[in-house]
Amino acid sequence: MDKIILDGRSLTRAQLVAVARHGAAVALEPTQLERVQHAADFLAEKVSCGEPTYGVTTGFGSNADKLLGGHRLRDELVTQDAARGGASLMEELQHNLIVTHAVCVGKPFAPEVVRAMLVIRINTLMRGHSGIRVSTLEALTAVLNRGVVPVVPEKGSVGASGDLAPLSHLAIVLLGGGEAFFEGERVPGAEALKRAGLEPIRLSFKEGLALNNGTAQMLATAVLALDDLEYLLGVADLAASMSLDAFAGRSGALRPEVHALRPHPGQVDAAAHVRQLLAGSTLVDIPYHLVPRFKPWSAEAWALPEDQALSFDIGWDWVPANQRHGREAFYARFLPFKGGKKHQPQDAYCLRCMPQVHGAVRDAWAQACRVIDIELNSVTDNPLIFPDAEGAQFIEEQVISAGHFHGMPLALAMSYVKAAIPVLASISERRLNKLVDPATNDGLPAFLTGNEDGTDSGFMIVQYTAAALVNDLATRAHPASVYSVPTSANAEDHVSMGANEARHVLEMMEDLGHVLALELYTAAQALDYRREMLNAARRLAARGDWRALAAKIGNAPREDHPHYAQFEQEVRQLMAALAASENFHAGTAVQTAHALLRERIAFMHRDRAMDGDIRAACALQQQRAFAAAAHPWLVADVVDYP
C-alpha cells in the first residue's frame, strides 16, 4: 500500500480511513516541512527577544495572566522529576501541560480511532502555523508508522479548547509516559517506544500546546462514523429494495420524473439507487391478479409429489361481476381475482416514502462531509503563528490567539447526523414489521412461517429486537452540542461537546447496522416465500388444467350458477397469464445480496434456534459483505452534491 503524503492541505476522508483502518503509512511532504521549521525558528527568535507569548511564556487558560520568570523561584525545592536534566521553565511548562491534561477515563479508544487522531494531528501541524519543530513532528509520525498506539480513554473532552485531555494521552507517550498498545499488547509508553526502536523526546516552545490543542478526537470519530454511514446508506437502500421485491411493490414512487419535481439531492440519489438495485426484477409492478396469498399447507393442497414438499398452499378469491360496479376500468386492466396484493395503487409510507426518508439522511451525511472535509486540512490549535505577516509591528500580530480549537462546526454537523440515525433505523424496522404482520404483508404468512401445526413463532421476535434497537438509538439521539458546561474557571466559558457528539455517532453505527441486518434477514425469508408462491402458481398453470387452478380460488360459483361460464373463462385467462410469465425473481443486485445471506443462513421452513442466524446476518453486514451489491450508490442519473 502506497504511503499517504501529508502536506496539511490535501488529506481526504478516504486517505484517513486507509491509514486508520487499513494500516497505510504516512510520509511528510518535504517542501511543507520547510514551512514548519520556519515557524518554529520564528517562535524561538521571539522568545529569545523576551516577547511575551501566550502558551509559550505564559500559563494556559485561566493562568494566561501568569508570565514565566527567567528561573524558578525556589530552585532548591524543585523535584528531580521537574528538573529533568536542567529543563527551562518554558520546557517544563509544555511538559506539564501534557502530563497534567492526560486525565481521560473509560475504556480505550479502538486503535483505528487513535491512528486517525495521529494522522489528523500530524496533518494540521504540517500547515506550519503551530510553531512545532520538524524533529518533533517526525517523532510523532514515527509513532504512527511504527505501530505504537497510545492508550486514549474515551471520555474527557469538552470539545474546546479542542480535545485537550485525549490529545494529551496521545502526546504523553511521545514523552515516554502513559501507556500504549504495541503489537496488541498494552505496555507503558516508554516500553512501547523502546520496542518500536524510538526514543522519548523533550518538548520545546509551544509544542505541548501544538500537540494537545485541536479537534483531532472529534474529527477522527466523525470521519470513521461517516465512513460507516456511507456504507450503511447503501445497505439501507439494499434492504429496502429486497423488502420491496418481497412485497411485489410498486415502483412509481421511484420514477425520476417524480423526483425532478422535488429535487433534494439525497432524495434523487436514493430513488435512483433503488431503481438500480431493482433492475431486472419481475416482482415489482407485477399485476395484482397474478399474486396468490398464503394459505396453510395441508395434505390435500398439492397433487404432485414435487409440490407436496412445499411449506404452503396458495389461493385467490374471485370477484363476481355483480361486485365490480364502479371499478369497471380497473377490471378492464386486471383480472377479477384477489390474492395477496390489495387492489390499491400505492404502497405504505415505509416503502413509498423511502427516497424521501433515506434521502434526508443522505443529505445529513453530505452536510457533515462538507464540514469534515474542511476541518481535515484546517489549523485548529492556538495561538496561530504567522511568521511572514506583512507590516507586523508587534508580536500579537504574528502570534494570534483565536478560537479554531472550538469544535462547534463539527458538533452541530454531527448533531444533524445523530438525529438522522434513528430515522433510518426506524423506517427499516417499519418495513420489517410490515413483512411479518399478516394484516400488512400482502399475502405472506404470519411471521413468515407456515406454522401448519400451530407450534411456530417464526420471525415474530426478530421485530422485537429491531424495535428495541430503534428505541435505544432514539434515546441516544439527544444532541450533546446544546449543553455547554464552562471550564477552566470560566476562562473557557462556552464549549462544544463535539467530542461526545462524534463519539456517540460512531457508537450508534453498530446498532444501526444491526437493524438493517435484521431487515435483510427478514426480507430474505419473505422474498423466498413470495417467489416460491408465485412460481408454484406458475407451474400449476403451466400444466394446463384450469380446474386444478380453480380449486385454489375461493368464492367460486357452483357449476349450475349463471356466472359459472364467466368464472371458467376468467380462470382460464389467469392460467394463461401465469403460464406465460417467466420465472419470478428479484432484481439482480437483490439476488446477489440474497445469495450472500443464503450461503450462511438457510431458509427457515420450521422454527429453529435463530441466534446463529442473527449473528451471521449481523456479521455479514459488519464485514461489509453487501458492499458489492449495495454500492456505488451514486449512479448516472443522480444529481451531484454541490
Side-chain angles (χ1 to χ4, degrees):
M1 187 181 297
D2 293 338
K3 286 186 176 182
I4 306 297
I5 306 300
L6 300 181
D7 59 7
R9 301 177 185 276
S10 59
L11 179 63
T12 65
R13 282 176 284 118
Q15 289 175 326
L16 184 65
V17 170
V19 179
R21 288 182 161 164
H22 307 298
V26 304
L28 308 181
E29 203 280 320
T31 302
Q32 197 62 32
L33 281 177
E34 296 176 7
R35 297 187 177 93
V36 170
Q37 190 60 49
H38 177 53
D41 293 342
F42 162 81
L43 194 60
E45 178 188 355
K46 292 300 179 183
V47 170
S48 69
C49 296
E51 294 275 13
T53 306
Y54 172 76
V56 179
T57 60
T58 76
F60 306 105
S62 62
N63 288 327
D65 60 342
K66 299 185 184 301
L67 289 171
L68 301 187
H71 60 83
R72 297 176 182 85
L73 295 179
R74 295 201 284 180
D75 281 342
E76 68 278 6
L77 298 181
V78 174
T79 65
Q80 182 178 357
D81 177 66
R84 290 186 342 275
S88 70
L89 283 175
M90 284 178 282
E91 290 174 327
E92 185 178 334
L93 177 72
Q94 302 303 316
H95 177 89
N96 288 348
L97 174 68
I98 298 300
V99 299
T100 63
H101 283 46
V103 294
C104 291
V105 298
K107 65 180 182 181
F109 271 118
E112 63 179 28
V113 174
V114 179
R115 288 178 59 80
M117 290 170 66
L118 284 165
V119 177
I120 291 164
R121 201 73 221 124
I122 294 166
N123 189 64
T124 192
L125 295 174
M126 282 293 289
R127 288 294 297 270
H129 290 279
S130 302
I132 196 168
R133 295 169 298 169
V134 167
S135 60
T136 303
L137 194 50
E138 288 175 337
L140 190 63
T141 304
V143 165
L144 172 65
N145 285 341
R146 300 281 184 90
V148 177
V149 180
V151 172
V152 182
E154 290 183 336
K155 299 175 183 178
S157 173
V158 296
S161 295
D163 297 316
L164 286 172
L167 283 172
S168 295
H169 283 277
L170 207 69
I172 198 171
V173 172
L174 202 59
L175 310 183
E179 293 182 295
F181 293 101
F182 187 74
E183 296 181 344
E185 184 180 356
R186 184 170 178 169
V187 297
E191 178 63 20
L193 292 179
K194 181 179 178 182
R195 294 186 186 185
L198 302 174
E199 294 287 340
I201 68 166
R202 176 180 289 179
L203 300 178
S204 185
F205 313 125
K206 193 187 171 288
E207 289 188 328
L209 202 54
L211 290 169
N212 78 355
N213 193 208
T215 59
Q217 179 196 315
M218 65 184 91
L219 183 55
T221 47
V223 170
L224 296 177
L226 293 177
D227 179 61
D228 289 341
L229 184 55
E230 181 177 16
Y231 167 68
L232 291 175
L233 282 164
V235 174
D237 289 350
L238 180 64
S241 299
M242 190 178 291
S243 292
L244 196 65
D245 258 334
F247 280 115
R250 302 291 167 235
S251 68
L254 302 171
R255 294 174 66 89
E257 63 268 31
V258 169
H259 296 282
L261 299 179
R262 194 198 192 194
H264 292 292
Q267 176 182 319
V268 173
D269 190 1
H273 187 219
V274 174
R275 290 197 303 272
Q276 181 188 46
L277 295 170
L278 290 170
S281 172
T282 60
L283 297 173
V284 171
D285 295 324
I286 188 173
Y288 297 98
H289 55 262
L290 295 184
V291 183
R293 69 174 178 273
F294 168 86
K295 293 175 64 177
W297 181 92
S298 66
E300 299 78 27
W302 303 99
L304 298 180
E306 63 187 274
D307 291 332
Q308 289 175 348
L310 296 172
S311 59
F312 55 82
D313 192 6
I314 57 174
W316 295 261
D317 285 325
W318 183 61
V319 182
N322 60 4
Q323 296 179 21
R324 304 176 195 174
H325 300 306
R327 306 199 70 189
E328 289 83 2
F330 177 86
Y331 287 113
R333 290 182 58 201
F334 301 103
L335 293 173
F337 298 96
K338 289 184 176 180
K341 291 295 292 181
K342 295 178 182 178
H343 293 175
Q344 60 186 36
Q346 57 189 27
D347 291 318
Y349 285 4
C350 63
L351 299 171
R352 181 164 35 118
C353 300
M354 181 275 299
Q356 289 77 8
V357 177
H358 288 206
V361 178
R362 261 189 179 78
D363 285 339
W365 171 85
Q367 170 59 17
C369 287
R370 293 185 189 102
V371 173
I372 266 60
D373 288 346
I374 293 170
E375 191 80 2
L376 275 173
N377 294 288
S378 296
V379 181
T380 59
D381 61 300
N382 180 63
L384 303 174
I385 313 299
F386 295 90
D388 300 320
E390 293 185 7
Q393 299 181 41
F394 305 104
I395 184 68
E396 57 267 24
E397 295 174 303
Q398 292 177 284
V399 182
I400 301 176
S401 290
H404 286 356
F405 50 74
H406 204 291
M408 195 55 77
L410 281 71
L412 287 178
M414 298 313 288
S415 294
Y416 186 11
V417 173
K418 195 183 199 182
I421 293 168
V423 171
L424 193 61
S426 175
I427 197 170
S428 173
E429 181 277 330
R430 288 292 83 198
R431 290 189 295 262
L432 190 164
N433 180 78
K434 185 174 168 63
L435 287 167
V436 301
D437 183 353
T440 63
N441 67 10
D442 287 355
L444 294 170
F447 305 114
L448 303 179
T449 182
N451 199 22
E452 60 207 49
D453 298 317
T455 60
D456 294 346
S457 295
F459 281 62
M460 180 190 297
I461 308 302
V462 177
Q463 186 265 332
Y464 283 44
T465 300
L469 290 169
V470 170
N471 174 265
D472 191 73
L473 287 168
T475 60
R476 294 154 67 188
H478 179 79
S481 59
V482 302
Y483 188 53
S484 172
V485 181
T487 57
S488 192
N490 274 314
E492 298 162 6
D493 58 352
H494 188 276
V495 299
S496 75
M497 296 299 177
N500 284 346
E501 200 76 281
R503 175 174 55 82
H504 293 165
V505 171
L506 181 58
E507 291 170 348
M508 292 166 74
M509 288 299 111
E510 182 178 29
D511 282 346
L512 172 60
H514 288 159
V515 174
L516 297 174
L518 293 176
E519 183 187 358
L520 282 165
Y521 171 52
T522 306
Q525 178 84 358
L527 181 60
D528 282 334
Y529 264 115
R530 181 72 71 194
R531 187 185 59 208
E532 290 305 315
M533 288 164 59
L534 276 162
N535 284 322
R538 187 177 60 86
R539 290 194 303 271
L540 181 62
R543 293 176 188 133
D545 183 354
W546 78 269
R547 292 182 181 276
L549 183 60
K552 303 293 185 185
I553 298 173
N555 203 33
R558 299 187 309 274
E559 290 191 25
D560 59 351
H561 194 281
H563 291 164
Y564 189 78
Q566 182 181 15
F567 170 74
E568 177 182 343
Q569 178 188 10
E570 289 171 344
V571 171
R572 288 181 180 276
Q573 290 174 336
L574 176 62
M575 182 177 69
L578 283 166
S581 300
E582 60 179 289
N583 187 48
F584 292 102
H585 57 77
T588 302
V590 171
Q591 290 184 70
T592 299
H594 179 272
L596 284 170
L597 285 159
R598 285 290 170 260
E599 286 175 4
R600 300 200 191 178
I601 306 169
F603 175 79
M604 194 168 82
H605 292 277
R606 303 290 301 269
D607 272 7
R608 63 171 185 250
M610 300 175 74
D611 58 325
D613 295 354
I614 297 294
R615 285 195 300 272
C618 291
L620 282 169
Q621 183 281 120
Q622 289 167 338
Q623 295 160 6
R624 302 200 175 191
F626 299 113
H631 285 270
W633 50 260
L634 292 174
V635 291
D637 56 351
V638 174
V639 174
D640 288 334
Y641 289 100

